[in-house]
Amino acid sequence: MFSERIRLLRGEKKLTQTAVAAKIGLSGRGYQDLELGATPRGDTLLAIAEFYDVSIDWLMGRTDKREVNR
């Protein structure tokens, strides 16, 4: 679920894997691995959620609500 959702978000923003990786502090290969199904570390998960402005629960498939509760 996570890998599909980050691919979806990246596609919606028309960004490359390299561009997103640079913004969140990962190597290009590290981000590619996430899109291929690797499990993210906590700090990486938080960085991705903040970058895309979505909830961690949505990224992980626990809810269909993208919005962050603030």
Side-chain angles (χ1 to χ4, degrees):
M1 180 70 65
F2 173 76
S3 60
E4 291 115 12
R5 291 196 168 175
I6 62 171
R7 274 194 304 271
L8 171 73
L9 291 166
R10 187 174 58 79
E12 288 175 356
K13 294 198 178 280
K14 298 179 175 43
L15 297 169
T16 65
Q17 289 179 340
T18 304
V20 176
K23 293 283 188 181
I24 64 170
L26 284 179
S27 67
R29 178 61 194 202
Y31 189 82
Q32 181 183 31
D33 287 347
L34 292 174
E35 285 197 3
L36 291 173
T39 303
R41 293 184 358 206
D43 58 335
T44 301
L45 182 58
L46 182 58
I48 291 170
E50 287 177 348
F51 176 74
Y52 287 120
D53 197 29
V54 296
S55 74
I56 290 174
D57 283 341
W58 182 80
L59 280 175
M60 299 308 290
R62 295 183 58 184
T63 183
D64 291 329
K65 184 179 169 190
R66 281 190 186 194
E67 297 82 25
V68 177
N69 292 328
R70 295 185 186 188

